[in-house]
Amino acid sequence: MSKKKYKVMVSDTVIVPVEGNLKDEHGNTVAFKFKLTCDRLSADDLKTKMSSQSSIKDILREIVKGWEGQRLVLEEDDTPAPFCPDSFDQLIDIAGLALLCFNTFVKENGAVEKN
């Protein structure tokens, strides 16, 4: 295998700001907002993961390395759970959240047009 000749100037990680709403037990809208720290993927790596992984959750489990400001998954004393595989699984098991996290990752991971 040959050595890479070039490197890309951006970091190996990307911060993914996830924002959305959930309904509480009374039907009220509750906003949430947190940030995920993820491995940055090249276009080829992302394509490979999307075609070889069994689910979006599997991809997220592999690329997400941490979070900040997460308040959806709580400890028994109602404090936000620290990031770990079990707490992350609880987060992405909330209906619709894995897809929201993944779609936001894809958007933040790549280049965008300057305003």
Side-chain angles (χ1 to χ4, degrees), residues 106-108 110-115:
V106 170
K107 177 183 167 197
E108 296 295 320
V112 296
E113 180 180 354
K114 184 178 177 182
N115 292 347

mmCIF file of all heavy atoms in Angstrom, residues 106-108 110-115:
data_model
loop_
_atom_site.group_PDB
_atom_site.id
_atom_site.type_symbol
_atom_site.label_atom_id
_atom_site.label_comp_id
_atom_site.label_asym_id
_atom_site.label_seq_id
_atom_site.Cartn_x
_atom_site.Cartn_y
_atom_site.Cartn_z
ATOM 1 N N VAL A 106 -23.851 14.573 8.215
ATOM 2 C CA VAL A 106 -23.523 14.623 6.788
ATOM 3 C C VAL A 106 -23.406 16.077 6.334
ATOM 4 O O VAL A 106 -22.473 16.441 5.602
ATOM 5 C CB VAL A 106 -24.568 13.853 5.947
ATOM 6 C CG1 VAL A 106 -24.368 14.093 4.459
ATOM 7 C CG2 VAL A 106 -24.493 12.362 6.262
ATOM 8 N N LYS A 107 -24.304 16.919 6.794
ATOM 9 C CA LYS A 107 -24.279 18.335 6.426
ATOM 10 C C LYS A 107 -23.031 19.025 6.980
ATOM 11 O O LYS A 107 -22.349 19.764 6.263
ATOM 12 C CB LYS A 107 -25.533 19.030 6.961
ATOM 13 C CG LYS A 107 -25.587 20.500 6.699
ATOM 14 C CD LYS A 107 -26.826 21.111 7.326
ATOM 15 C CE LYS A 107 -26.723 22.608 7.329
ATOM 16 N NZ LYS A 107 -27.656 23.241 8.233
ATOM 17 N N GLU A 108 -22.704 18.790 8.238
ATOM 18 C CA GLU A 108 -21.585 19.463 8.893
ATOM 19 C C GLU A 108 -20.229 18.884 8.486
ATOM 20 O O GLU A 108 -19.210 19.564 8.558
ATOM 21 C CB GLU A 108 -21.725 19.392 10.419
ATOM 22 C CG GLU A 108 -22.937 20.129 10.960
ATOM 23 C CD GLU A 108 -22.858 21.631 10.729
ATOM 24 O OE1 GLU A 108 -21.771 22.217 10.874
ATOM 25 O OE2 GLU A 108 -23.907 22.224 10.418
ATOM 26 N N GLY A 110 -19.176 17.921 5.531
ATOM 27 C CA GLY A 110 -18.695 18.303 4.213
ATOM 28 C C GLY A 110 -18.584 19.808 4.018
ATOM 29 O O GLY A 110 -18.932 20.606 4.886
ATOM 30 N N ALA A 111 -18.112 20.164 2.864
ATOM 31 C CA ALA A 111 -17.972 21.572 2.493
ATOM 32 C C ALA A 111 -19.323 22.162 2.115
ATOM 33 O O ALA A 111 -20.192 21.457 1.594
ATOM 34 C CB ALA A 111 -17.010 21.703 1.308
ATOM 35 N N VAL A 112 -19.500 23.437 2.405
ATOM 36 C CA VAL A 112 -20.722 24.157 2.039
ATOM 37 C C VAL A 112 -20.349 25.460 1.363
ATOM 38 O O VAL A 112 -19.258 25.998 1.564
ATOM 39 C CB VAL A 112 -21.648 24.427 3.252
ATOM 40 C CG1 VAL A 112 -22.161 23.153 3.841
ATOM 41 C CG2 VAL A 112 -20.945 25.264 4.304
ATOM 42 N N GLU A 113 -21.274 25.981 0.587
ATOM 43 C CA GLU A 113 -21.066 27.247 -0.098
ATOM 44 C C GLU A 113 -21.008 28.376 0.927
ATOM 45 O O GLU A 113 -21.779 28.403 1.890
ATOM 46 C CB GLU A 113 -22.221 27.482 -1.064
ATOM 47 C CG GLU A 113 -22.124 28.759 -1.834
ATOM 48 C CD GLU A 113 -23.302 28.941 -2.785
ATOM 49 O OE1 GLU A 113 -24.123 28.035 -2.919
ATOM 50 O OE2 GLU A 113 -23.381 30.029 -3.385
ATOM 51 N N LYS A 114 -20.095 29.322 0.718
ATOM 52 C CA LYS A 114 -19.987 30.493 1.589
ATOM 53 C C LYS A 114 -21.141 31.432 1.311
ATOM 54 O O LYS A 114 -21.515 31.657 0.169
ATOM 55 C CB LYS A 114 -18.648 31.204 1.347
ATOM 56 C CG LYS A 114 -18.426 32.357 2.278
ATOM 57 C CD LYS A 114 -17.071 32.981 2.036
ATOM 58 C CE LYS A 114 -16.905 34.186 2.943
ATOM 59 N NZ LYS A 114 -15.635 34.861 2.720
ATOM 60 N N ASN A 115 -21.731 31.993 2.371
ATOM 61 C CA ASN A 115 -22.853 32.936 2.215
ATOM 62 C C ASN A 115 -22.393 34.236 1.637
ATOM 63 O O ASN A 115 -21.438 34.797 1.874
ATOM 64 C CB ASN A 115 -23.528 33.201 3.546
ATOM 65 C CG ASN A 115 -24.235 31.949 4.031
ATOM 66 O OD1 ASN A 115 -24.419 31.007 3.297
ATOM 67 N ND2 ASN A 115 -24.611 31.954 5.288
#
